[in-house]
Amino acid sequence: MTTLTQTLSGLFGSAFAALGLGESLGAVKTSDRPELAQFQCNGAMAGAKALGKNPREIAQAVIEKLQSQKDVFQKLDIAGPGFINITLTDDFIARALHTMATDPLRGVTQHPKETIILDYGGPNIAKPMHVGHLRAAIIGDALRRMCLYAGYRAIGDVHMGDWGLPMGQIISELEIRHPDWPYFDPAFAGPYPAQSPLSMDDLEEIYPAASNACKNDQSRLEAARLATRDLQDGRPGYRALWQHFISVSIAGMKANFTALGVHFDWWKGEADAHPFIGPMVEKLRAQNLAVESDGALVVPVAREDDKKEIPPLILYKSDGAVMYGTTDLATIVDRVEHENPAKIIYVVDQRQALHFEQVFRAARLSGIAGPKTELIHAGFGTMNGTDGKPFKTRAGGVMKLEDLITMAVEKAQARLEEAKLAQEVDTAEKESIARKVGIAALKFADLQNNRVADYIFDIDRFVAFEGKTGPYLQYQAVRIQSLLRKAESQNLRISESQIMIQDSDRSLALFLCAFPDHFEIALRNHTPHVLCDYAFTLAQAFSTFYGACHILSEPDAVLRQSRLHLCALTLQTLTAVLGILGIDVPERM
RNA sequence: GCGCCCGUAGCUCAGUGGAUAGAGCGUUGGCCUCCGGAGCCAAAGGCCGCAGGUUCGAAUCCUGCCGGGCGCGCCA
């Protein structure tokens, strides 16, 4: 459907076209000066040059074409060098709002049902998830929800790190510790034990030990490399042991992702790309794209016009093992072959930008990704501590994601008590509310930051409940729900009532109409923070409206119904936006 | 050395060529015996890192410099 600004831009575009100017000059946006007007059009100034006329004359001509539309425009005037200031009739605003209200998507354009694959997990096997995994998970999940809302077929893939050197490090460490295990006996004919010999806690201890051993001892590193290659080559005992790492690790990941409300459609890993590597490399060789270099097999991806040196993508290291570039490329083979996606979005640390540049170039050169598959690295910045350096706990270690989540939920619980909220509900519901509030605080604190920039991870801010926070937004929604419940108990019907625009509710009504514009920007640029900003401003607009006029005690029945309707619309929109961001709204709090 | 990102209020951050640059936190002052005060209203607080350029118009685009972060062949 057409949004309010699109409708207005269309009207102005035709007016400009009638003057022999480009239709795009008619672009209408929300006014920068709300005290002067609701919307503005700046095209007259840009068009002045083309016609060699005074911009104010052009603005005047445009206005003359439009001012007969008295049902739309309450006022059109020229300001400054040639701004056209636009004020709509309340009736037109009410109609626009009504149109939006009747659309289940609240005005968002439905996109074609193409497939978009999002890659936003990347947790590693055998390592506990830490705060660094938070960004990928919640930004990626928000982007997935945005794609779904827009009508795409969106698929989230956790894409675990389960195939690299760390696997070999753990295997060779275990081989030293438990040489008697059947996994290490080449003569063992199976079957291997169904039960994992290791718990997640074991793995958390073993991995750093193995990794350190390799750092300090060349022969240990060599052993780990060999084990990695043998694992990748399919040695049965190693594969069986490795399967245990995976199932144990996935259980840990699922606990974290479930707590966060982050969803994945696929629980694939780098290893799933393995079967595609051999044939892919053969094809690359046949295309003369893969060449030997210093004992490794690489795809040169540098171009003449590069401003910087782009190293080749390494397919096979000189020791015969594959690298993550290899699996990333082979994963594209898999995805294109089976899903033919219109887009693949990688929500991965910005520091990987060069890596993705290499992979994307190799995919283009070889035709692995055709012109119909867009490849996007939606990188995000580093999470720093309040000192501006990469975040560490007071003890100097990394903070586990699990601990951060627990901390947020406990803080929410304490705050509920302190504020004497949710007093009348039972313990189970209180627990559920605290969980929703804590998670909302966490997610919103992260999502509201611009994706690409580094940002300061301030624990106090992450569990704050006032100001521009997730809980504030939930609170506004809960307050509206409470109001609507009261209205219902008084038998006030709201569904069919028309909206009557008055001074106290005009800006709220206009802002509700602007939702699709904000959504499109967020979708196009893969920037959830735009939606955070919209949700916050909407909640504030509501709160202002709520403070300015009493609703239930409004004596004019028509006005009361209209305001209840506006409340309901605000609630629906706010809940929808929060839902897209992955934030639940409790019934009470 | 080369390349990428960032530099906006005391702090944390929005701001995709338009008018008088915004928000949250913090600070200061207000808010009706009525719908949930995790709220609302208001004030103070800015050479938008610096210097040029393009443009009718620049926080935004271009160039140079300064400061910070990151990356640059066999880790992921």
Side-chain angles (χ1 to χ4, degrees):
Chain A
M1 73 172 264
T2 328
T3 71
L4 181 52
T5 46
Q6 281 169 353
T7 304
L8 296 174
S9 297
L11 292 174
F12 273 77
S14 311
F16 275 97
L19 298 172
L21 287 160
E23 249 190 278
S24 60
L25 292 175
V28 170
K29 53 176 258 183
T30 303
S31 176
D32 291 331
R33 301 281 302 273
E35 75 282 9
L36 296 180
Q38 295 160 352
F39 297 90
Q40 61 184 4
C41 174
N42 303 336
M45 289 171 292
K49 201 149 204 192
L51 248 56
K53 274 192 184 168
N54 182 326
R56 290 184 66 103
E57 275 176 48
I58 296 181
Q60 189 53 48
V62 168
I63 288 176
E64 275 162 20
K65 296 259 178 238
L66 294 169
Q67 64 189 1
S68 61
Q69 303 197 39
K70 299 273 184 235
D71 56 328
V72 179
F73 302 111
Q74 198 238 307
K75 199 169 82 175
L76 289 170
D77 49 26
I78 308 171
F83 297 101
I84 302 173
N85 279 334
I86 306 161
T87 303
L88 303 176
T89 63
D90 286 342
D91 185 50
F92 188 71
I93 297 171
R95 272 185 286 147
L97 193 58
H98 183 73
T99 309
M100 193 197 118
T102 50
D103 178 2
L105 289 175
R106 289 155 210 83
V108 168
T109 307
Q110 188 76 355
H111 290 71
K113 202 161 186 66
E114 295 168 332
T115 298
I116 296 181
I117 298 176
L118 299 102
D119 197 314
Y120 52 90
N124 294 312
I125 295 299
K127 283 197 255 184
M129 293 183 64
H130 56 81
V131 288
H133 291 110
L134 188 69
R135 293 215 83 186
I138 64 190
I139 293 171
D141 191 51
L143 293 178
R144 181 184 63 83
R145 291 168 192 263
M146 280 161 57
C147 290
L148 285 174
Y149 194 91
Y152 294 106
R153 172 174 173 259
I155 300 171
D157 182 6
V158 72
H159 200 71
M160 295 172 283
D162 59 359
W163 206 229
L165 184 64
M167 300 303 104
Q169 289 175 326
I170 297 166
I171 291 172
S172 55
E173 171 80 16
L174 287 169
E175 192 153 13
I176 291 169
R177 292 192 191 188
H178 309 283
D180 53 315
W181 282 7
Y183 307 101
F184 305 119
D185 177 4
F188 187 77
Y192 294 99
Q195 185 70 31
S196 172
L198 301 158
S199 69
M200 192 63 209
D201 287 342
D202 296 332
L203 285 171
E204 287 179 23
E205 179 267 318
I206 290 163
Y207 174 68
S211 167
N212 277 327
C214 291
K215 256 183 222 145
N216 302 325
D217 184 344
Q218 201 58 37
S219 66
R220 288 292 304 272
L221 183 60
E222 199 45 46
R225 285 201 170 126
L226 280 175
T228 307
R229 195 200 54 201
D230 288 349
L231 171 72
Q232 293 179 354
D233 284 348
R235 179 167 159 170
Y238 285 7
R239 285 290 183 101
L241 185 55
W242 169 81
Q243 275 301 338
H244 290 312
F245 305 163
I246 296 197
S247 45
V248 166
S249 297
I250 285 183
M253 288 175 206
K254 284 197 171 165
N256 279 304
F257 287 131
T258 304
L260 282 175
V262 167
H263 172 81
F264 292 99
D265 301 284
W266 290 347
W267 284 81
K268 292 194 170 196
E270 294 177 316
D272 289 288
H274 185 72
F276 299 90
I277 290 176
M280 174 184 83
V281 171
E282 280 325 300
K283 212 174 140 203
L284 288 167
R285 276 189 206 273
Q287 290 174 299
N288 286 324
L289 290 171
V291 296
E292 301 283 339
S293 168
D294 297 333
L297 186 69
V298 306
V299 178
V301 292
R303 287 196 288 251
E304 295 261 325
D305 58 341
D306 282 338
K307 278 190 289 185
K308 58 178 170 182
E309 199 180 325
I310 309 264
L313 182 78
I314 297 178
L315 295 171
Y316 285 120
K317 300 192 288 181
S318 43
D319 68 4
V322 301
M323 298 222 349
Y324 76 136
T326 324
T327 53
D328 276 353
L329 195 58
T331 301
I332 299 178
V333 172
D334 182 8
R335 289 172 179 171
V336 167
E337 217 164 85
H338 294 105
E339 303 293 341
N340 187 27
K343 205 190 267 196
I344 305 176
I345 303 174
Y346 295 84
V347 185
V348 181
D349 194 315
Q350 190 61 40
R351 287 174 294 191
Q352 307 277 333
L354 180 59
H355 165 73
F356 284 108
E357 179 73 40
Q358 292 172 285
V359 172
F360 294 172
R361 283 189 184 197
R364 295 288 176 217
L365 282 171
S366 58
I368 286 172
K372 285 190 168 171
T373 301
E374 201 180 342
L375 300 171
I376 290 171
H377 173 211
F380 53 81
T382 314
M383 209 157 100
N384 291 325
T386 39
D387 57 356
K389 295 189 199 123
F391 176 79
K392 292 273 189 312
T393 58
R394 271 184 292 274
V398 288
M399 179 180 275
K400 280 200 199 177
L401 187 50
E402 206 185 324
D403 295 339
L404 178 65
I405 294 169
T406 306
M407 196 182 300
V409 173
E410 278 172 0
K411 200 103 178 190
Q413 188 96 51
R415 182 73 183 119
L416 283 176
E417 297 299 332
E418 185 190 316
K420 303 218 183 326
L421 290 167
Q423 297 294 291
E424 72 286 2
V425 304
D426 60 35
T427 325
E429 189 181 344
K430 214 180 251 185
E431 160 70 27
S432 145
I433 292 168
R435 191 153 280 283
K436 283 180 182 168
V437 172
I439 296 298
L442 216 61
K443 284 188 164 178
F444 195 84
D446 187 292
L447 285 171
Q448 68 166 302
N449 293 290
N450 184 358
R451 201 193 68 231
V452 295
D454 291 352
Y455 82 108
I456 306 281
F457 174 79
D458 181 349
I459 191 85
D460 293 330
R461 186 174 160 224
F462 257 64
V463 294
F465 305 103
E466 280 147 35
K468 194 172 181 181
T469 64
Y472 166 82
L473 297 173
Q474 290 174 315
Y475 176 74
Q476 297 301 345
V478 163
R479 233 168 29 160
I480 303 173
Q481 288 176 138
S482 167
L483 180 67
L484 294 177
R485 274 197 297 267
K486 280 210 170 67
E488 201 178 346
S489 73
Q490 294 171 23
N491 292 318
L492 298 174
R493 295 217 333 268
I494 53 168
S495 54
E496 292 109 45
S497 59
Q498 284 294 316
I499 304 258
M500 267 175 69
I501 303 289
Q502 303 237 316
D503 286 348
S504 52
D505 38 40
R506 192 175 292 111
S507 42
L508 176 60
L510 284 169
F511 199 66
L512 282 166
C513 291
F515 167 62
D517 298 324
H518 292 259
F519 181 87
E520 273 305 319
I521 293 169
L523 181 72
R524 187 167 59 240
N525 301 329
H526 314 103
T527 47
H529 83 272
V530 170
L531 286 179
C532 291
D533 214 65
Y534 178 80
F536 180 67
T537 309
L538 177 63
Q540 269 189 326
F542 174 78
S543 211
T544 301
F545 158 74
Y546 180 87
C549 50
H550 204 269
I551 297 159
L552 292 178
S553 64
E554 169 58 49
D556 181 333
V558 179
L559 189 52
R560 186 176 62 227
Q561 301 281 81
S562 160
R563 287 189 172 154
L564 282 168
H565 194 181
L566 203 51
C567 289
L569 270 177
T570 305
L571 176 65
Q572 285 164 22
T573 308
L574 190 54
T575 309
V577 178
L578 289 175
I580 294 168
L581 294 170
I583 294 172
D584 286 337
V585 176
E587 279 178 40
R588 291 175 281 232
M589 65 186 275

